[in-house]
Amino acid sequence: SMVWAAMPGMLFRKSRDSSLHPLDLSWVFGYNSSLAVHSLMDGEDRVLLYVSSHTVVIHDILRNRQSHLQGHTNVISCLCVSEDKRWVATADRGPDALIIVWDSYSGVPVRTIFESHSEDGVCAIAISQDAKYLVTISAAPVQKVCVWRWTLLTGEPMCSTELKPEFGYQDYVIFNPQNHHEFVSNSKTQVIFYLWVISHSLHSHTAWLLSPQTFKCLVGQFSQSVFHFNNTQALTGTSAGKLVVWDMDNPRTLPEELPAKPQGVTAAKVVSVQKESLTVLQVLDSCIATGDVKGQVKFYDGQLRLLTIYSHDKVGPIQSISFSTILRDPPSDLPGSSQPFLTSCSDSSSSVSLTLNRNFILSTSDATMFHVATDSTNFERIMTEAKKAVNAIACHPQEPLVAVGSHCGLLKVWEYKQTQYLVSRIFTEAGIQCLSYDPEGHFLAAGFTDGSVYILDAISLQSICEEFQFSQGPVTHISFSHDSKYLATADENYSVTVYKRVLQNGSRCWEHLAGLDSHYKPIRSILFGVHSDSNEPRLLSLGEDRQLVEYDLNSSIKDHLVVTHRNRLEQVAVPLCLTWYPQLSTESFFLTANNCYKMKLYNTTTKMCRKTLLGPTYGSPLEKIQILPRTSSADPQQHYLVYITKDKVGLQMLPVDGNPHKSSAFICHPDGASDFAISHDGRYVFTAGGKERTFMKWKVNLHALDAAAFLGGEDLIPFYNLLDGGREGKFFRELEDYFYYVQLCSQGIETLETRQVSTHIPLEEIPSVMRAIGFYPSEEEIEEMINEVKFSKYADTGEEVTKINLDDFIKLYINHRPAHGLSMKTIQRAFQVLGYDNKTGDRVIDRGDFLSLLQCRGERMTEDELAECLTTLLGRRPRKEGSELDSYDPTGAAALTEEEIPAEITAEIFVADILGLPIAE
């Protein structure tokens, strides 16, 4: 077994070149500074363990290499490490929360606990001194405490208890190192001590809120608690710089049965050790260590007498302290104190000396790590990362450089092949929201949260001109034209602003050209292109208002941005992103993706929708898309699309055809991916994690995606599998029947002539068959479907298609039907908007308003069409007395409508009684 034979450092000997995934996590930048950083190895191998988003990172600092422990689908909320630094336990919050125990030597997840706290996940976790037991506290409003023997293959805890809400939100827990049957947790206001026995329930003793009157001093809020090494006391650090000392009954031998009441714990005294708030409290050997908001680390003996202090003016509020397991040679003098001072503490001097012979890792709440050598008080900064959201990322067009900006104003540039930090700049005025290199790689443009725009030198990051301030809100998008003559931005106030590079006093500089409030809803994309009949730049913007706006840059003058075209792209769906489609045929397209999981191809000149296709359906729609640059090893005829959804990054083979096997996606940022960038050679994809304050480098493996597409089947096999029941199912047989029934109808049901058996049906029959099999397209969707087939060969042959065969019809159906079928929630949302609350509290639409809306709004129906439609749905067909069978009477239909339809219509009545559709339980 890999675990049985594992040794420290073995994890980095794994080969990372044989990935079976289209995208393989290669490097993680940044970390969750609210969680602890642990020192796994020190000395020649300085190895740290920390959390970035949903990934545990084991980072060899000196050799500049990482290994990643991946298994969580939500952001990791807490972690703990065993005393010997081998076993790591992590937990998360959110749907399908997990607890995973890892072997840090091999990277193998040796135990996964499912549905431990299924409601809200875990907020605190600890591992016992012997590494056999875990204790977890749930993040639910009513918290649950569980003790687990993780080495047992059972999904049930050994014991558990629920905490009363008045105990406060318990967010820290730790075992007694000398007795794994005891542990302590605390909230900001209360400390709880626990005692448990196997096969029995968990007992707890609560230490209630300490008021200033208790000790005639201000105690402050609790931060962390520990058990004293004397095993008769416990300590809790507070925000007022004090240590609360708890006395516990002694001896506390473990009974066979739990006592009727928990062991007594009392607050003995409060020791004021400093003025600054204590954030970290640890016990090592016979020494007590504290960390505070000023970045100081102090060591005390068992009587809380100060031994030594480590401090540095560059260290911020301390979040965690992790001591090395390696002991250095004892120093002649301890920093901050003298050897005689230690020898005066004869009962603990040897243990304290050993403790202070350990180097340690500090992590701060402002996302900085330090390595502290205790023999020299040397504070070595290991890592400085973003303190706020990372939303901006861009790759250099020619060199292996990636620029990343955060809301804290930090702009950093990395060389990504060797993963070397190169240069940075801090902007104190505002946060960085978006970045873009120009195509020549000379400039780096940055858009800020205060609406300002900086144009920087791409290498030095120094400003090449004064910043621009023409946006009234945060700049959300920024892009250069292909010839670097124009720069365009979009902001949160729905405005597009254009800057132009001009010749002034013999040198080129940038100036503001014009701006325009182009949209009335958020702008999703701005896109530069090239006019087909010239080499002039072309600029488009796409908004959630469904408008595609094209601008005439040549005709635009100072403070006047000219619009050439406005086109509404969608009827109901909201377009979310836009890119140019590769030239795979004689016709040129741009590609959009909408919030209904559809991708659409539009002719670049006419803006006519030429094709609608089923996009990737991985939990959320595509948010941003880019064409992957070709790599030297890639098939020159094959193209790929890179995309991000709300929390995933993925690859899509082109041409898009609705085949789900041509797409693959991986969770990158569970709390939301904000942006992504692609390396100039197409080998790497970088994703930014927004409020997670991380970004990730993914290695592209196109052969893995090609293999997955091949294994998914050829021709229509992938599409058959998307039908209910597949190729052999009842649905497909019904579709065949409808298809051939239409052929009979088109030739005449009662004809006596010889029938012409065909594999095609006329295009005008497409809507009838679609509705017969349960897809009810709007008139605009019908027009798009027919045009899609009619003009499918027009660019190549100049001829229109007039009929469609069954195979093409199946593809058309799968690509156009709703991605997730009919939804009752969609109809209920419509009633929320259009209706009102009646006397019984139901959301309803008045019958008169209902009929009026159908005739006056959207795709309007005539009175006759509406009456015929409703009476057909209601199963009755009125006709004039004494007339032919098919003579229709709209007056009778109107009377019937009033009889059959109630005065107030709910969503349920509309679906079940009028449309006649089943409502899912």
Side-chain angles (χ1 to χ4, degrees), residues 86-343:
R86 176 163 190 178
W87 309 108
V88 179
T90 56
D92 64 64
R93 297 183 194 175
D96 304 318
L98 300 176
I99 300 171
I100 304 179
V101 180
W102 311 83
D103 173 23
S104 69
Y105 292 176
S106 63
V108 173
V110 294
R111 182 78 169 90
T112 300
I113 302 174
F114 299 91
E115 299 180 354
S116 58
H117 300 280
S118 55
E119 291 182 2
D120 294 276
V122 182
C123 72
I125 190 169
I127 191 167
S128 61
Q129 184 84 357
D130 58 8
K132 293 180 179 179
Y133 300 96
L134 294 175
V135 58
T136 59
I137 303 179
S138 73
V142 178
Q143 291 184 287
K144 187 177 181 180
V145 182
C146 297
V147 177
W148 311 80
R149 177 75 181 260
W150 65 266
T151 53
L152 299 178
L153 297 179
T154 175
E156 298 297 322
M158 303 191 70
C159 54
S160 63
T161 188
E162 285 190 351
L163 302 180
K164 298 177 181 178
E166 53 263 31
F167 290 170
Y169 187 76
Q170 300 284 318
D171 57 2
Y172 184 79
V173 66
I174 189 171
F175 274 100
N176 184 346
Q178 301 178 55
N179 181 1
H180 61 239
H181 288 274
E182 289 183 323
F183 58 91
V184 61
S185 71
N186 67 260
S187 65
K188 300 298 182 188
T189 58
Q190 297 195 35
V191 180
I192 305 177
F193 293 85
Y194 306 81
L195 181 67
W196 67 276
V197 176
I198 297 175
S199 300
H200 293 82
S201 60
L202 194 62
H203 279 202
S204 63
H205 175 83
T206 306
W208 291 93
L209 172 66
L210 297 181
S211 66
Q213 288 75 27
T214 307
F215 294 99
K216 293 184 171 53
C217 66
L218 179 65
V219 177
Q221 293 185 330
F222 297 144
S223 55
Q224 293 185 357
S225 300
V226 294
F227 287 92
H228 199 292
F229 49 78
N230 62 20
N231 205 28
T232 64
Q233 293 177 318
L235 305 171
T236 299
T238 78
S239 60
K242 296 177 173 61
L243 289 174
V244 180
V245 181
W246 309 94
D247 279 344
M248 301 187 294
D249 288 352
N250 191 38
R252 297 186 320 285
T253 57
L254 189 67
E256 293 183 6
E257 297 287 338
L258 280 177
K261 294 183 179 181
Q263 304 290 338
V265 180
T266 57
K269 58 183 176 180
V270 173
V271 179
S272 180
V273 294
Q274 61 183 59
K275 294 181 180 180
E276 296 81 14
S277 174
L278 296 176
T279 56
V280 177
L281 182 61
Q282 287 193 18
V283 170
L284 292 101
D285 304 319
S286 295
C287 185
I288 297 164
T290 66
D292 61 36
V293 294
K294 289 191 68 175
Q296 301 176 111
V297 179
K298 298 182 180 180
F299 292 87
Y300 300 86
D301 66 6
Q303 286 75 45
L304 300 182
R305 293 175 296 188
L306 181 64
L307 298 176
T308 187
I309 302 174
Y310 292 87
S311 64
H312 194 285
D313 58 359
K314 299 294 185 183
V315 181
I318 293 176
Q319 188 68 33
S320 70
I321 306 172
S322 181
F323 288 87
S324 167
T325 56
I326 300 175
L327 299 181
R328 296 179 291 96
D329 294 332
S332 57
D333 291 307
L334 289 168
S337 62
S338 60
Q339 190 68 26
F341 174 77
L342 283 180
T343 55

Side-chain angles (χ1 to χ4, degrees), residues 582-584 627-641 652-655 681-683 700-707:
Q583 193 75 37
L584 302 180
I627 302 299
L628 184 74
R630 292 183 182 179
T631 61
S632 57
S633 60
D635 181 354
Q637 301 301 318
Q638 186 64 62
H639 296 264
Y640 300 84
L641 178 82
Q652 167 77 52
M653 290 179 65
L654 299 182
D681 58 4
R683 297 181 183 275
V700 176
N701 180 13
L702 300 177
H703 297 299
L705 183 59
D706 294 342

Side-chain angles (χ1 to χ4, degrees), residues 433-479:
Q433 183 69 27
C434 51
L435 292 168
S436 178
Y437 282 99
D438 79 298
E440 297 173 0
H442 298 155
F443 308 119
L444 175 62
F448 286 77
T449 53
D450 65 350
S452 59
V453 173
Y454 283 72
I455 301 178
L456 313 173
D457 179 85
I459 303 300
S460 67
L461 302 186
Q462 296 304 306
S463 300
I464 63 169
C465 61
E466 290 293 321
E467 73 270 17
F468 296 103
Q469 187 75 56
F470 290 94
S471 296
Q472 300 303 311
V475 178
T476 56
H477 299 78
I478 192 164
S479 182

Side-chain angles (χ1 to χ4, degrees), residues 153 518 602:
L153 297 179
S518 310
Y602 293 86

Side-chain angles (χ1 to χ4, degrees), residues 5-34:
M7 298 291 290
M10 188 187 84
L11 186 62
F12 295 104
R13 298 175 200 149
K14 290 183 180 180
S15 173
R16 297 181 57 86
D17 297 331
S18 56
S19 172
L20 300 178
H21 305 293
L23 290 171
D24 184 47
L25 183 59
S26 177
W27 198 272
V28 178
F29 302 81
Y31 71 103
N32 185 346
S33 59
S34 64

